[in-house]
Amino acid sequence: MKCEICKEKDAETAITVKKDGADEELYVCRECARKESVRRQKKSQRTKKASGQPPGVTLSVSRVGDDGEPPPPIVEAIMNAMSDFVSDLDKLSKKDGAAGGKSAGEKEKPDLAAFPLSRIPEEFRIGDMIHLEGLHLVGELDATKRAFEAMKVELAGIEADGLRDVGHVYRIRYTGAPERAKRIVKDLVAQERNARQRLKSELPRVFGDSLCRALAVLKNCRLLSPAEQYDLLSPIRIAAREGYLDGLTLVEVRALADGIDLSSREDDLSDDDRDRIDAARADEMNRRFEDVVLSERGEGMFL
């Protein structure tokens, strides 16, 4: 049987299309099935009227979750990994007090050493920073940061264009023995891995919400700052790795992110010049993401 759309290739799968307001099943080839999927998704994400076509449908996705529902508690392994470190700090503080040293409030902040992240799995790393998008989306990132502060370990995020923690990527700085830092970073990676697994198994709509919002903005924005662009690519990076997108590879996401200048140097420009540059950046992303849609696997997960 030949494809009922192109009439050339052999039919390999069945799809459902709207015809005169009613669902109709067609047997089509793989390529026509893919094109129909792209056409349908592009229509659902359109905010502008296409020439000669009826108005498109504006994509509107909202985060789910009961109001007031607390985020899942941070796993105690992180605190346990550093409990002896906190105990050592307490002992040192008491010792200094007995010797007539400065009080804790009077002491200078200890020097922090940079923890090298080159050995953690690549999927959780962007350059010399750890990528914690999963913990952010499941609601555990703030608790993790507070736990780190209590243990004198710093998660140093990026601040640019007036935004904090851009892209949810962090450098790690620590005091104390390197072995202690290794244990806590190992626990942190495990928690990020668990968070991403939860997004797939328990909270697919939460991740789908973040991903589809990012795609909708990149397809339709009129102004786009460097920091916002970098932040929007954060969930897209995970989606590309998981095979949830057609029209964009993980290598291409990395190239886009690597080309973003987060130095905030555009802050010194006039408002008109900054708007002109932001508009050009938005137009470029509109073109680049026009044909980026959920893959068949992504549709099965999020639609």
Side-chain angles (χ1 to χ4, degrees):
M1 180 179 178
K2 293 297 183 181
C3 172
E4 294 186 77
I5 293 180
C6 70
K7 312 295 185 183
E8 296 177 359
K9 298 179 182 178
D10 291 336
E12 301 175 81
T13 187
I15 62 172
T16 301
V17 298
K18 287 282 187 183
K19 188 173 182 180
D20 297 328
D23 290 339
E24 180 177 340
E25 187 174 66
L26 298 179
Y27 294 93
V28 299
C29 64
R30 292 290 181 188
E31 180 61 19
C32 286
R34 186 192 69 80
K35 290 180 179 178
E36 175 62 21
S37 175
V38 170
R39 185 199 65 78
R40 177 166 44 81
Q41 288 190 48
K42 286 176 68 175
K43 181 179 179 181
S44 73
Q45 294 161 345
R46 193 171 63 231
T47 60
K48 301 181 291 290
K49 181 179 180 180
S51 177
Q53 298 294 330
V57 178
T58 300
L59 179 67
S60 177
V61 188
S62 58
R63 189 184 180 102
V64 298
D66 295 334
D67 291 339
E69 180 182 353
I74 186 68
V75 177
E76 293 183 359
I78 293 180
M79 294 298 294
N80 292 337
M82 294 297 289
S83 59
D84 53 347
F85 179 41
V86 176
S87 178
D88 288 346
L89 288 176
D90 186 52
K91 291 176 182 178
L92 286 173
S93 177
K94 291 178 180 179
K95 181 178 179 181
D96 287 345
K102 293 181 179 180
S103 66
E106 295 173 325
K107 289 182 180 179
E108 296 181 358
K109 292 181 64 176
D111 292 333
L112 299 176
F115 187 89
L117 295 170
S118 58
R119 292 188 178 181
I120 71 170
E122 186 276 335
E123 62 189 293
F124 305 111
R125 177 168 39 88
I126 298 179
D128 60 348
M129 297 176 287
I130 189 167
H131 187 208
L132 302 179
E133 185 68 17
L135 284 171
H136 164 66
L137 289 175
V138 301
E140 294 184 359
L141 183 54
D142 286 342
T144 301
K145 291 169 68 176
R146 289 194 297 271
F148 272 48
E149 289 175 4
M151 297 180 287
K152 311 302 181 186
V153 180
E154 181 180 57
L155 286 175
I158 297 174
E159 184 170 350
D161 302 331
L163 300 178
R164 298 183 61 185
D165 291 353
V166 176
H168 304 110
V169 293
Y170 302 88
R171 292 180 176 88
I172 297 179
R173 302 186 181 119
Y174 69 98
T175 59
E179 289 302 319
R180 287 172 175 151
K182 288 180 182 178
R183 290 201 299 273
I184 196 169
V185 171
K186 182 179 179 180
D187 285 335
L188 180 60
V189 170
Q191 297 316 308
E192 174 63 19
R193 179 182 288 110
N194 291 341
R196 294 188 186 185
Q197 183 58 44
R198 286 185 59 205
L199 288 172
K200 290 191 290 185
S201 62
E202 302 174 26
L203 304 167
R205 185 169 286 251
V206 171
F207 182 63
D209 175 68
S210 177
L211 172 60
C212 290
R213 284 176 187 269
L215 287 174
V217 172
L218 290 166
K219 288 171 181 285
N220 297 293
C221 60
R222 310 313 302 139
L223 295 170
L224 185 66
S225 71
E228 185 181 13
Q229 180 187 6
Y230 193 89
D231 201 59
L232 291 168
L233 290 175
S234 186
I236 288 175
R237 181 177 185 268
I238 296 178
R241 174 178 291 280
E242 294 291 336
Y244 294 149
L245 298 175
D246 277 341
L248 187 71
T249 67
L250 179 59
V251 172
E252 290 170 327
V253 177
R254 288 175 180 158
L256 286 173
D258 290 344
I260 298 174
D261 182 0
L262 295 173
S263 65
S264 297
R265 66 179 62 186
E266 293 177 12
D267 288 352
D268 296 329
L269 300 175
S270 67
D271 290 345
D272 288 343
D273 285 342
R274 188 163 58 245
D275 285 349
R276 176 177 51 79
I277 294 173
D278 287 352
R281 183 181 297 112
D283 291 344
E284 180 184 356
M285 289 301 101
N286 292 170
R287 291 189 294 269
R288 178 62 190 85
F289 281 85
E290 180 181 6
D291 293 324
V292 177
V293 296
L294 295 178
S295 66
E296 186 175 339
R297 183 181 183 191
E299 283 190 331
M301 177 68 69
F302 305 126
L303 298 184

